Amino acid sequence: MLEMKVNSGFNLLELLVTLTIVGILAAIGVPSFNVLIENQRIRSASNDLIASLNFARSEAITKNTAVTMTQVTGGWVNGWTVSTAGGTVQNADGFGGVAVTASTTTFQYNSDGRTTSAVTFSLVPSSGNSGRAKCVTVSLSGKPTSESGEC
């Protein structure tokens, strides 16, 4: 006897229903993904800034000389340079999607690793959501710290 094979697969209606469900789930998930990206940008910017601050402090102590951090043209959001009397030792690029403001345009680490003045950096996502902001502070002792929230 001959057996007939039944063709199994998707018909057009099943495909459209599946694509509709996938589209609805994607529309629900995209805003959550944007929040994740924004949080990661702020965290990354904060970590990069603290790494540069620690580097500048370390250079001041190691080389027993003053080290200066200065914002580049356009502000801290566009980056900064770390320099000694001998020249620039580090250049840092700015951050996309993060607004960076500080209480000064330049500051200095002394040869003992202390700063001449306390400095506060405010990192806020470009969306303006201050609930995701970070505050990086450098005390007179020279140690940088980061806290969640506005400064």
Side-chain angles (χ1 to χ4, degrees):
M1 218 191 241
L2 293 173
E3 290 184 30
M4 291 185 73
K5 284 190 171 181
V6 177
N7 217 355
S8 61
F10 293 108
N11 64 30
L12 185 59
L13 182 60
E14 292 170 333
L15 181 63
L16 290 175
V17 168
T18 303
L19 288 176
T20 301
I21 291 171
V22 168
I24 291 170
L25 291 176
I28 292 171
V30 167
S32 298
F33 191 65
N34 288 337
V35 168
L36 176 72
I37 290 171
E38 197 170 75
N39 284 337
Q40 188 58 35
R41 280 184 182 155
I42 291 291
R43 188 177 302 123
S44 177
S46 172
N47 289 339
D48 287 352
L49 180 59
I50 288 175
S52 283
L53 292 166
N54 283 327
F55 173 76
R57 185 177 188 209
S58 174
E59 284 291 299
I61 294 168
T62 303
K63 293 183 177 179
N64 196 28
T65 187
V67 174
T68 304
M69 279 189 72
T70 307
Q71 70 181 14
V72 298
T73 304
W76 292 100
V77 70
N78 293 327
W80 56 86
T81 59
V82 177
S83 56
T84 64
T88 300
V89 291
Q90 183 185 54
N91 288 315
D93 294 329
F95 308 107
V98 177
V100 181
T101 56
S103 57
T104 185
T105 59
T106 183
F107 74 99
Q108 180 176 329
Y109 278 102
N110 297 324
S111 60
D112 61 0
R114 296 178 177 269
T115 60
T116 54
S117 62
V119 181
T120 303
F121 294 90
S122 177
L123 291 84
V124 180
S126 57
S127 69
N129 187 340
S130 60
R132 293 189 189 91
K134 288 248 186 210
C135 183
V136 175
T137 56
V138 181
S139 65
L140 290 174
S141 70
K143 183 180 179 195
T145 57
S146 175
E147 295 180 11
S148 295
E150 291 186 87
C151 296

